Amino acid sequence: MNENYGEQIKNYRVNLGMTQNQVAKELDVTPGYISNVEKWRTAMSLRLLIYYSKLMGITLDELVGNIEPSYKKSAIDNALWTEIKKLDNMQKEKLLETIKIWQI
């Protein structure tokens, strides 16, 4: 888990415009627990991390992995991922080739 875990937890919450109370209610914990997680006084269990990532609309890897500090997931990232998930493997391969062409 990365060293800015609590800050990252807080940033996802703030970026979605949620309060600690709202997150606590959704996860069935106390607001104080969320505060302690954000201040790195306590760590979430794997179960809560999974629920939190779903609540935030991110993968568990994004939440606990070593993501570049400058990367911020945007609405366009979410929209692209939603559309990509609808494609079959052949369409994904074509999309990947198209993206590679654009990068030249």
Side-chain angles (χ1 to χ4, degrees):
M1 196 164 301
N2 80 41
E3 59 197 40
N4 295 323
Y5 165 78
E7 183 178 326
Q8 187 171 345
I9 294 283
K10 180 179 180 179
N11 287 339
Y12 280 119
R13 175 183 62 77
V14 170
N15 287 338
L16 281 182
M18 295 183 78
T19 65
Q20 288 180 344
N21 288 343
Q22 290 169 318
V23 171
K25 183 176 179 182
E26 290 294 323
L27 298 181
D28 197 26
V29 297
T30 66
Y33 176 83
I34 300 300
S35 175
N36 284 334
V37 167
E38 290 180 359
K39 293 177 181 172
W40 198 222
R41 292 181 186 142
T42 191
M44 287 184 175
S45 67
L46 180 57
R47 181 182 65 83
L48 284 176
L49 285 169
I50 291 168
Y51 291 148
Y52 188 85
S53 65
K54 287 184 180 189
L55 178 63
M56 296 296 124
I58 58 175
T59 66
L60 188 56
D61 286 348
E62 289 173 285
L63 183 59
V64 299
N66 291 323
I67 298 173
E68 292 296 318
S70 61
Y71 176 76
K72 299 285 183 203
K73 189 170 185 180
S74 67
I76 192 72
D77 293 324
N78 288 331
L80 281 168
W81 180 239
T82 298
E83 295 306 315
I84 290 170
K85 289 190 292 187
K86 296 176 187 176
L87 302 176
D88 62 34
N89 283 341
M90 174 105 39
Q91 291 169 316
K92 288 176 184 176
E93 287 175 19
K94 288 178 183 178
L95 177 60
L96 182 58
E97 290 304 314
T98 301
I99 291 171
K100 287 178 181 179
I101 290 170
W102 286 348
Q103 293 175 341
I104 295 176

Coordinates of all heavy atoms in Angstrom, one line a residue, residues 4-5 14 19 33-34 36 49 60-61 84 95 98:
N4 N 0.9 7.4 0.9 CA -0.1 8.4 1.0 C -1.5 7.8 1.0 O -2.5 8.5 0.6 CB 0.0 9.4 -0.2 CG 1.3 10.1 -0.2 OD1 1.9 10.5 0.8 ND2 1.9 10.3 -1.4
Y5 N -1.6 6.6 1.6 CA -2.9 5.9 1.6 C -4.0 6.8 2.2 O -5.1 6.9 1.6 CB -2.7 4.6 2.4 CG -3.9 3.9 2.9 CD1 -4.6 3.1 2.0 CD2 -4.3 4.0 4.2 CE1 -5.7 2.5 2.4 CE2 -5.4 3.3 4.6 CZ -6.1 2.6 3.8 OH -7.2 1.9 4.2
V14 N -13.3 13.4 -1.4 CA -13.5 14.8 -1.7 C -13.8 15.1 -3.2 O -14.7 15.9 -3.5 CB -12.3 15.7 -1.2 CG1 -12.3 17.1 -1.7 CG2 -12.1 15.6 0.3
T19 N -19.0 13.6 2.0 CA -18.6 13.9 3.4 C -18.1 12.6 4.0 O -18.5 11.5 3.6 CB -19.7 14.5 4.2 OG1 -20.7 13.6 4.4 CG2 -20.2 15.8 3.6
Y33 N -14.2 6.7 12.3 CA -13.4 5.6 11.7 C -12.8 6.2 10.3 O -11.6 6.0 10.1 CB -14.2 4.4 11.4 CG -13.5 3.3 10.7 CD1 -12.6 2.4 11.3 CD2 -13.6 3.1 9.3 CE1 -11.9 1.4 10.7 CE2 -12.9 2.2 8.6 CZ -12.1 1.3 9.3 OH -11.4 0.3 8.6
I34 N -13.7 6.8 9.5 CA -13.2 7.4 8.3 C -12.1 8.4 8.5 O -11.1 8.5 7.8 CB -14.4 7.9 7.4 CG1 -15.4 6.8 7.1 CG2 -13.9 8.6 6.2 CD1 -14.9 5.7 6.3
N36 N -10.1 8.6 11.0 CA -8.9 7.9 11.4 C -8.1 7.3 10.2 O -6.9 7.3 10.2 CB -9.1 6.9 12.5 CG -9.4 7.5 13.8 OD1 -8.9 8.6 14.1 ND2 -10.1 6.8 14.7
L49 N -12.0 -2.0 2.1 CA -11.3 -1.4 0.9 C -12.0 -1.8 -0.4 O -12.1 -0.9 -1.3 CB -9.8 -2.0 0.8 CG -8.8 -1.4 1.8 CD1 -7.5 -2.2 1.8 CD2 -8.6 0.1 1.5
L60 N -9.8 -1.7 -7.0 CA -9.0 -1.9 -5.8 C -7.5 -1.6 -6.1 O -6.8 -1.0 -5.3 CB -9.2 -3.3 -5.3 CG -8.6 -3.6 -3.9 CD1 -9.1 -2.7 -2.8 CD2 -8.9 -5.1 -3.5
D61 N -7.0 -2.0 -7.3 CA -5.7 -1.7 -7.7 C -5.4 -0.2 -7.6 O -4.4 0.3 -7.2 CB -5.3 -2.2 -9.1 CG -5.2 -3.7 -9.1 OD1 -5.1 -4.3 -8.0 OD2 -5.1 -4.3 -10.2
I84 N -15.1 0.8 -23.2 CA -14.1 -0.3 -23.5 C -14.6 -1.7 -23.0 O -14.5 -2.7 -23.6 CB -12.7 0.0 -23.0 CG1 -12.1 1.1 -23.8 CG2 -11.8 -1.2 -23.0 CD1 -10.8 1.7 -23.2
L95 N -9.1 -1.3 -31.3 CA -9.0 -0.1 -30.6 C -7.5 0.2 -30.2 O -7.0 1.3 -30.4 CB -9.9 0.0 -29.4 CG -9.8 1.2 -28.5 CD1 -10.1 2.5 -29.3 CD2 -10.7 1.0 -27.3
T98 N -5.5 1.2 -33.1 CA -5.9 2.6 -33.5 C -5.1 3.6 -32.5 O -4.6 4.6 -33.0 CB -7.4 2.8 -33.4 OG1 -8.0 1.9 -34.3 CG2 -7.8 4.3 -33.8

